[in-house]
Amino acid sequence: MNIDVLFLDEDLCVVHTIFDMKPWRISKAVINSRSVIEAESGVLRGKVKVGDCLSMES
């Protein structure tokens, strides 16, 4: 199953995206990223772009 991948900096802002990444692939190193979010392919496309900042709520 393919995935969508978001790379986030320390402020939870998106610095790089990969949409529809195939299984068993390794992405390039994203120097400014501090965390990664993975989701089922298609879930994030068109909803999140580089520069968007996310927030966490409890």
Side-chain angles (χ1 to χ4, degrees), residues 7 15 18 21 23-24 26 31-35 38-39 50 54:
F7 295 83
V15 294
I18 301 175
M21 185 175 183
W24 303 105
I26 298 174
I31 302 301
N32 295 330
S33 69
R34 295 290 179 259
S35 55
E38 299 177 356
V50 171
L54 308 179

Side-chain angles (χ1 to χ4, degrees), residues 2-56:
N2 294 0
I3 60 173
D4 292 343
V5 185
L6 301 179
F7 295 83
L8 309 174
D9 64 12
E10 64 273 359
D11 297 321
L12 300 180
C13 295
V14 180
V15 294
H16 185 70
T17 59
I18 301 175
F19 298 110
D20 204 33
M21 185 175 183
K22 293 181 178 12
W24 303 105
R25 300 299 191 268
I26 298 174
S27 74
K28 68 176 187 169
V30 180
I31 302 301
N32 295 330
S33 69
R34 295 290 179 259
S35 55
V36 174
I37 294 177
E38 299 177 356
E40 183 178 342
S41 184
V43 171
L44 301 174
R45 183 182 296 274
K47 297 177 183 148
V48 181
K49 64 185 182 304
V50 171
D52 287 350
C53 294
L54 308 179
S55 62
M56 301 288 248

